[in-house]
Every structure is written in structure tokens, then in C-alpha cells.
Amino acid sequence: MIEIKMPRLSDTMEEGAVAAWHKKPGERVEVGDVLVEIETDKATMDYEAYEAGTLSEILVAEGDTVAIGTPIAMLDNGKDSPAPAPAPAPAPVEATPAPEPAASVSPAPSPAPSPAPAVAASSSRTVSRAVPENRGADGQFASPLVRRLAREHGLDLSGIRGSGPGGRIIRADLDSLVGAPAGPATPAPRHVARPVVATGPIVDARRASQEVPVTKARRVIARRLSESAQTIPHFYVTSVADAEVLTQMRADLNEQAVDKDLAKVSVNDLIVRAVALALREHPEVNASYLGDDSKVMQLHNRVNVGVAVASQHGLVVPVIVDADLKSVYEIGAETKSLAAQANGKGLSIEQMSGGTFTVSNLGMYGVEEFTAIINPPEGAILAVGATTREAVIVGDQIVPRHRMRMTLSADHRIIDGALAAQFLRTLTAFIEHPWRIVAAEA
Amino acid sequence: MTIKTYRQALHDTLREEMLRDENVFLMGEEIGVFEGSYKITAGLLTEFGDKRVRDTPIAEEGFTGAAIGAAMLGLRPVVEIMTINFSLLALDQIVNHAAKIYGMFGGQAKVPLVIRTPGGGGQQLGATHSQNIELYYAFVPGMKVVAPSTPADAKALLLAAIRDDDPVLFLENLALYNTKGDVPDDDTPAEIGKAKITREGHDLTLIGYSRMAYVARNIAESLAESEGLDIEVIDLMSLRPLDRATLVESVKKTHAAVVLEDDWLTYGIGAEIAATISDGAFDYLDAPVRRVAMAEVPMPYSKNLESAAMPTNDDVVNAIFQTLEAVGRRLKKVGQSHD
């Protein structure tokens, strides 16, 4: 009997939630099978079985959160497995090296029907074990290439029947799903019963609704945003900043940048830095509510500003750690490289962890103003609109000025209206006197 | 370009390098008066005299050690060890001296030594004279081990080996000496540590060196014709340093690999290649890396048994077909002879 424990899936993880069990008690588990989906603070990850056996008991139900190391299930790896294996595959024995093939056996692959000799798979983390080549048909084996493609395309492999040796899912099995231009065939979804939105009788197949798999990333976004919107009492404070000097200064900096071959500064880089400086003045905004059961709330002394990025894979929020200690150029370079990585191989959990405040900027799309949903456990998020020229009354004159609208969404449980307003006033002052953003002490 | 045998390419390159650099000299058993067991050094004693073409006693440890000393003092000895089997008698000199002197003594002396030696079985020379033990040297930091499979590569790699300041084990092969090919007339050395893609393809990566690189090319060509397969072939050329990048990049493209080696499977060079691929291209593999190697026995003398012990073309074709079937290709002719 083996205790399956809540794994540590990232360095900062302290507890994890069981998002979904993929196996039921009594079900057979093979090495590499996805046992359970574990949700950390930033992502949901598959947790695979390191040992074969039968899942005998589930100790932590779906939705429950427990600390790392807490047993979440019991796996029976007893030698008296219910269905005797057809081949004389050695039963997995803990801490016993796999039997070596006899030295006299010709190791060159032979056309004989017997599978290649099982090879001991061992790593420093797991005990050595013999891995039989042939698996049951319900074993979810997929080649590494297939696993990667599934990750990249958000495919659910559970509905796919592998045609490779031992039922392994191979690249050819994905032909109809990956890269097929007009293929409506999506893998059979795991949950059969699901609501279908009817858009009326289908006259033209091209105008029928399509079913697109919900990627893991999308599922995480959905879950977290619902949770935030449903549980956090948001309130909103909007302020308009005069961005005339900021616009001028940025143009100036970038003119210099072209001459000196330096990177250009974006409005967002300046805002991130301004936010970081304003948070330093108002640490109560740089705070986290820890739940109704907690007797304390957290005020963060580090200022880690998340930047919402619309990546190819959906919304992600990479974190600029210690943004108050970084120059505008450093923030710009880091944001650029994180965004590139988000579009490429994707960001690591570490790169999306530890944020204390988020900036979401839709100004580049011409959005005038909007409200954002707080990214828990942060206390607030700033939604930044476009910088536009407006007619403004200065003295008795109507003059054209650059203006920018910013809306703070705050968690009202820990941030009062006056505090939010003071924070915005400080931030507005930075925007209106932008040299302070650049000149402020790191 | 001139068409030459592998043997002739080696001979001509040795001669050219002796003409180019008076520090280059040859040592070995029967290389002078007898002109070499495999006639690589034919005519060189007459042309260069016995100061630069030295017949030695049957004492591998002694003459290899003498060559190491000469190399440390600035000469560029090219030692012929009659077959790689006899290099075992010089193992201590090669492993503990040639490979380590530069590092152990803080770079005070270099050892620009070349050891030319043929491997390869299949000549009914029995268990002790039919081994492929280049792995022993490829295992040792401080050594370089190169293994050409064509006359052109024999020339380019021998030029590189002689001009290299580190000890180089230059692996020849009995079965390749009479193979012919175009050899460039200029003296551009190869880059030691670079593998060569000798045939581009998309279906599978077939990897070999020395004789097995030759086998790989032939089989890939024949399968292209008979089955329409598009196999990429990599000739390792150098076992140490090993060009891991080329292997990984190729498998990222083809998603499957078969490694051919004339030595034994267990702990063999194929294992290192397979580990390299699993390390660098894991997420691109659609099937396990397969290896084809010799049977794990001392090489039998009997011709039938010797042939059975060596990896045959059928073994290679089977491994290729099994791998392709594992990635979903449906092929008919498994096991058909391609000899």
C-alpha cells in the first residue's frame, strides 16, 4: 500500500487543491497515468502515478485544499493483483533492480513477436522498477511527441485510442486533430453531459457552432476569474491624469533611444514603475486578504507588479518582481522578454507567482476606460486606458491636452474608499510629474 | 576530385603530411620493410628513410610510450597499431599518459599524437582479434576519437588528427579499406567533433559511424528505392567530442531514431546516443530509440556463427521497420533481405 501525497509542484507552493480525480477507487492505475489534477495558486497540473497498482481510497475530495505532504489517496500495489498479467512481466517490486536480460540473448531487435526486453527505468527520484512493454488498453500511454502536441494544442488525450505498440498514442493518431485544416473532429470530451447552446436549425454547416476544446490554461483563467468576481467585493475608483508631460517626455526619451540604440520606453513601462512607487507610499494597497478564517491580513513589503499579457495561449500575468527597485528600462526589457516567452514556450509558475498588484493596460487598443477583475490574492488591480487628446479647461481657456484614465479595482474588505482615492492621487501625481518616475530612488 | 580507395586516401594523406611537416613521422609494427599489414604505409620507408618510418618491436606499450614522449617534445608521431585489439597492451600509456599529461601538468606539454588503428570483425580472426573497442578511448576525457567511413572523410579527418594538438585515436575499419569514393585534392581538414548528415530525410534518423555509417547510407538508399522511405542518415565522424546538437536537431525533425554500432549493445556507444536523444529531443520522440549492435558474445571463429553474431543488414532493416511501424507507418516487407 502506498500513500499518495499532495506533491510540491512549485517552489512557492505550500498547499494544493484537488481539482479533479482521474481515477476512481478500485480502478487500475499504471505508471504514468494521470491520477489527479492538482491546482496550485497559479496553475492546474496533471499529477501522474509513479507506481502501478489499484487506487484503493481517495482521502481528499475534489475541491478540497490540503498542505503539501498530506496523504490524498491510497494506492494498493500488492502483488496479488486481481487480473493476472498475461505476459510473465515481472511484478513491480520496490527497490529491486529490474532483471537484466541474459547476456547470451541477442539484443538486436528480432522480428520475433515477443516485445523488446523490458528495460529498467530508474531515476534518482523513484525506485527502480520494471516497466512492461505491453499495457492494458485503458492505459493512457502517449509518446513524448504526442504529449507535447497535446499540451500545445490543449488536446484531451483520454478519448483517443492509441494505435502504437501496446496502445501507445502516437503522432499518427493525432493527424485528424492537429494541423488538419477543416477537421471538425475533436476528441470525445471527457464529460459527456454538457450544455449545448442551440443557435437554430443548421442550414449552412459553415455557420454551425464549433466545439473547440477548452485548454487547461483557459480552464484556470475561467476558474480564477469566477472565484475573484464572486467572492471579492470589488469597488472601483476612476481618475483622469494629465499625460501631456508624460507623452512629451516619452517622445523625448525615445528620440534619444533611436540615436543611442537604446530600447524604447512604453507608456506601460512608465505606469508600472509609477504604480510601484505609489504602492511604496501606500503599503496598505499592496496587501492581501487571507480569508475569513484568518486573524491577520498581509501587507507586502516587496512590490511585485503583475502585467496582464494577452498571449497566444490566453491571458497570463507575468510578474515584475521588485518593480520599485528597477529602472523604467529594466521594467521594459523584462516585460518584453516575459511577453515573448508567454507567446512562445509559455511562462513558468515561478514567473507568474508572487505578484502583489496587477496592471492591466488596454490603452494600445484605444480603450478609453474599463474595469478589471482582481487577481487574487492581490488586493487591487489597475485598469489603464488610452492616452488621448481632449479639450480641457485650463484657467479660462479650452486647450488640447493628453489625458489618461485609470480605474482601480480594490478589494473592499481591506481597502477603503479613501485609501483607494489617496493611492490614485499619488499615482496621478507621478503621471503628471513623470520625471519623478524616472528620478525616484530605486 | 580523384576517385580513390579508403586505403589509398590514408596512404596519400600520410605522405602529404610528411612532405608538409618534417615533424610528422610514423611508428609501428611492420610498417616499414613489410609496408604495413594493410599496406597503408606502402613505399613510405623508401621515400622518407628509416628515421621517419620506424619499424618497432612487437611491444605496443613501449612504442606508444615512446611516441607520447616524442609528441611531448614537439614531434607529431603517427603510430599504427596493427588492430585496435592490440591497443589494449598500450591502454595504460594511452589512457593514463597520452590523455592526461596536458591536464595533469598544467598544460606544460601537449601530446599531438595520432594512433591509427583498424577495428572491425567479420574476417574470421577470432574473439581476441575481432573487437570494436573504440568505446574504451571515447570514454576518456583528454582523448579525441574519430572514425571516418569514406575515403574523403579518411583524408579530411587524418589531416585534422595530425594537425590537432591533442591525442587522437583514428579508427579505421578492415571492411572499409577497399571501398572507393571521390577524394578532394586540396588539404582541407575536417572539424573534429562534427557529425555529418550524409543523407537528408524526414521519416527517421539512422545513426552510425565507421563501417556502420557506410551500412546506414546503403540501406537508406536501398529503402528509398524499394519502399519509398525518406531516411536521414548521420555519420558521427567523431565519437569524442560527440556532436550532440546535430543528433538532437535531426530527431526533432524526424521524431524517431535507430542507432547502429558494431560493438556490443550493453553500455555501448548507442546507449550514449540514445541518452543524448532522450535528453535533448524527448518531447519530439514518437517512438523509443532503437539500437542495433553485435550479439553479446565473444566473436566466434566459425564463419556461420561470426556472421550470426554481427549486426546484419536484415537486423538494421528490421529495426527501421519496427520503429516506423511504431509511429504508424504500415510497411509490408519486414525481414526481407537487403544484403
Side-chain angles (χ1 to χ4, degrees):
Chain A
M1 195 71 83
I2 298 167
E3 270 186 352
I4 309 277
K5 293 177 177 159
M6 174 59 68
R8 178 190 290 276
L9 298 172
S10 77
D11 286 346
T12 54
M13 177 175 169
E14 285 169 359
E15 54 179 30
V18 172
W21 282 103
H22 283 221
K23 297 281 175 185
K24 290 191 283 290
E27 215 175 319
R28 178 82 192 148
V29 175
E30 298 292 351
V31 174
D33 282 4
V34 174
L35 204 55
V36 57
E37 279 177 44
I38 300 290
E39 188 180 347
T40 69
D41 51 343
K42 287 289 171 188
T44 303
M45 291 180 173
D46 287 345
Y47 183 62
E48 293 176 2
Y50 285 112
E51 299 286 342
T54 305
L55 189 66
S56 61
E57 195 183 350
I58 285 176
L59 302 172
V60 176
E62 290 183 5
D64 287 355
T65 301
V66 293
I68 287 171
T70 309
I72 57 174
M74 300 300 284
L75 186 73
D76 186 355
N77 66 337
K79 282 139 207 159
D80 51 340
S81 53
V93 178
E94 276 183 73
T96 306
E100 272 180 58
S104 59
V105 170
S106 166
S110 69
S114 66
V119 176
S122 68
S123 79
S124 54
R125 285 197 181 176
T126 56
V127 292
S128 303
R129 57 179 184 258
V131 182
E133 178 94 341
N134 266 325
R135 319 263 181 187
D138 53 346
Q140 266 282 300
F141 288 88
S143 74
L145 175 65
V146 165
R147 284 163 185 252
R148 181 172 65 86
L149 291 171
R151 273 200 305 277
E152 288 175 0
H153 292 82
L155 297 176
D156 181 355
L157 295 177
S158 61
I160 298 174
R161 203 140 193 97
S163 67
R168 184 195 299 139
I169 304 171
I170 55 179
R171 173 68 179 82
D173 298 327
L174 302 186
D175 274 349
S176 59
L177 308 174
V178 177
T186 42
R190 190 180 299 144
H191 308 291
V192 184
R194 66 191 186 286
V196 173
V197 181
T199 53
I202 294 159
V203 182
D204 179 351
R206 282 171 305 178
R207 289 175 61 78
S209 301
Q210 265 184 304
E211 289 189 356
V212 178
V214 175
T215 63
K216 204 145 264 173
R218 177 56 56 192
R219 221 178 290 165
V220 172
I221 292 169
R223 195 179 349 242
R224 292 175 55 76
L225 288 181
S226 307
E227 183 194 309
S228 172
Q230 286 165 10
T231 64
I232 300 176
H234 285 61
F235 83 102
Y236 311 96
V237 184
T238 302
S239 173
V240 187
D242 185 299
E244 194 63 29
V245 185
L246 183 117
T247 306
Q248 191 80 61
M249 182 185 87
R250 176 170 165 260
D252 224 54
L253 281 174
N254 287 344
E255 218 168 280
Q256 301 289 318
V258 172
D259 293 347
K260 299 259 159 55
D261 213 25
L262 287 168
K264 287 195 175 177
V265 170
S266 72
V267 172
N268 200 62
D269 301 338
L270 290 162
I271 290 171
V272 169
R273 171 103 174 112
V275 161
L277 295 169
L279 285 171
R280 215 154 58 171
E281 283 188 33
H282 301 279
E284 309 92 322
V285 177
N286 201 37
S288 295
Y289 184 66
L290 299 180
D292 296 342
D293 300 334
S294 176
K295 292 205 174 89
V296 295
M297 54 183 267
Q298 260 186 322
L299 296 188
H300 305 293
N301 285 320
R302 289 182 79 172
V303 179
N304 300 338
V305 179
V307 180
V309 171
S311 81
Q312 287 170 10
H313 316 297
L315 170 69
V316 290
V317 185
V319 174
I320 311 281
V321 175
D322 294 329
D324 60 324
L325 304 181
K326 287 175 179 160
S327 74
V328 171
Y329 285 108
E330 285 169 325
I331 289 169
E334 208 174 314
T335 308
K336 211 179 249 178
S337 98
L338 286 168
Q341 200 183 322
N343 277 320
K345 64 175 177 155
L347 296 163
S348 68
I349 287 192
E350 285 72 27
Q351 287 169 318
M352 294 188 282
S353 299
T356 59
F357 186 98
T358 295
V359 172
S360 177
N361 186 346
L362 293 178
M364 57 290 258
Y365 299 103
V367 167
E368 194 175 320
E369 62 177 301
F370 69 106
T371 58
I373 294 177
I374 293 168
N375 185 20
E378 296 167 12
I381 184 167
L382 186 76
V384 182
T387 304
T388 51
R389 288 191 98 199
E390 293 176 12
V392 179
I393 298 173
V394 178
D396 286 335
Q397 304 277 313
I398 297 177
V399 290
R401 302 282 289 181
H402 282 97
R403 310 255 281 178
M404 177 197 292
R405 282 177 168 70
M406 302 175 293
T407 301
L408 185 77
S409 310
D411 181 345
H412 213 332
R413 295 173 300 186
I414 50 170
I415 298 172
D416 291 338
L419 175 58
Q422 285 161 11
F423 170 78
L424 263 195
R425 189 171 60 187
T426 304
L427 180 60
T428 304
F430 273 113
I431 303 285
E432 294 185 344
H433 304 279
W435 294 109
R436 288 180 53 208
I437 301 174
V438 183
E441 220 175 295
Chain B
M1 290 281 188
T2 313
I3 292 183
K4 285 181 192 178
T5 60
Y6 189 98
R7 179 198 317 277
Q8 189 69 37
L10 290 172
H11 168 274
D12 293 356
T13 307
L14 281 177
R15 181 173 171 273
E16 284 160 27
E17 285 297 276
M18 290 179 78
L19 289 170
R20 184 187 63 83
D21 181 352
E22 60 176 16
N23 287 325
V24 176
F25 75 102
L26 313 183
M27 284 173 91
E29 295 156 359
E30 311 277 25
I31 64 166
V33 176
F34 188 65
E35 300 190 317
S37 290
Y38 300 102
K39 304 297 171 203
I40 309 294
T41 50
L44 297 182
L45 174 64
T46 319
E47 183 172 358
F48 293 98
D50 62 5
K51 206 174 162 205
R52 295 186 66 196
V53 181
R54 313 268 315 183
D55 271 325
T56 66
I58 303 176
E60 285 80 3
E61 184 177 20
F63 68 75
T64 303
I68 292 168
M72 288 171 71
L73 293 175
L75 297 182
R76 304 191 89 85
V78 181
V79 167
E80 178 177 301
I81 293 184
M82 199 179 289
T83 80
I84 197 168
N85 303 282
F86 307 152
S87 73
L88 290 176
L89 294 154
L91 193 65
D92 178 59
Q93 285 298 329
I94 300 170
V95 170
N96 277 333
H97 299 277
K100 294 191 174 59
I101 281 168
Y102 180 77
M104 273 180 73
F105 300 107
Q108 293 180 81
K110 294 170 181 163
V111 185
L113 162 74
V114 177
I115 298 173
R116 287 183 37 247
T117 187
Q123 321 276 327
Q124 275 200 288
L125 296 172
T128 59
H129 287 188
S130 307
Q131 302 175 92
N132 294 284
I133 50 175
E134 53 277 10
L135 166 67
Y136 297 179
Y137 305 104
F139 182 59
V140 179
M143 286 300 295
K144 288 176 179 169
V145 178
V146 298
S149 73
T150 66
D153 291 343
K155 174 174 183 173
L157 279 172
L158 187 54
L159 289 172
I162 291 173
R163 297 174 192 185
D164 197 284
D165 281 342
D166 291 321
V168 179
L169 187 112
F170 186 92
L171 181 72
E172 301 168 8
N173 190 288
L174 301 181
L176 292 178
Y177 279 141
N178 287 331
T179 56
K180 281 187 186 166
D182 271 332
V183 178
D185 298 320
D186 64 4
D187 67 338
T188 310
E191 187 182 337
I192 295 180
K194 275 269 175 240
K196 194 186 259 184
I197 296 174
T198 55
R199 185 181 195 286
E200 291 207 18
H202 290 87
D203 288 345
L204 175 147
T205 302
L206 189 59
I207 301 160
Y209 66 92
S210 196
R211 182 182 84 91
M212 277 312 208
Y214 173 85
V215 168
R217 278 195 300 279
N218 288 346
I219 288 182
E221 286 305 335
S222 117
L223 289 179
E225 222 166 275
S226 64
E227 314 285 329
L229 294 183
D230 183 23
I231 293 174
E232 178 141 310
V233 180
I234 295 182
D235 182 347
L236 292 177
M237 304 267 287
S238 169
L239 302 180
R240 178 180 278 272
L242 179 63
D243 184 356
R244 298 181 200 271
T246 296
L247 298 170
V248 165
E249 281 315 306
S250 173
V251 175
K252 281 186 175 177
K253 179 175 72 172
T254 63
H255 308 306
V258 172
V259 190
L260 313 182
E261 54 193 324
D262 256 335
D263 63 346
W264 295 295
L265 186 91
T266 305
Y267 305 116
I269 282 167
E272 180 63 30
I273 306 292
T276 295
I277 291 169
S278 141
D279 202 22
F282 181 78
D283 281 335
Y284 295 82
L285 278 174
D286 208 17
V289 178
R290 262 189 193 286
R291 296 174 285 159
V292 177
M294 191 189 139
E296 306 240 344
V297 292
M299 183 69 90
Y301 173 77
S302 149
K303 188 66 200 165
N304 289 343
L305 293 178
E306 184 182 58
S307 300
M310 287 177 67
T312 64
N313 284 5
D314 276 353
D315 293 335
V316 176
V317 171
N318 279 331
I320 291 171
F321 279 27
Q322 283 171 14
T323 302
L324 287 175
E325 296 210 327
V327 301
R329 288 284 290 249
R330 295 292 166 246
L331 301 149
K332 291 160 290 181
K333 303 183 183 173
V334 177
Q336 207 181 58
S337 178
H338 283 262
D339 280 307

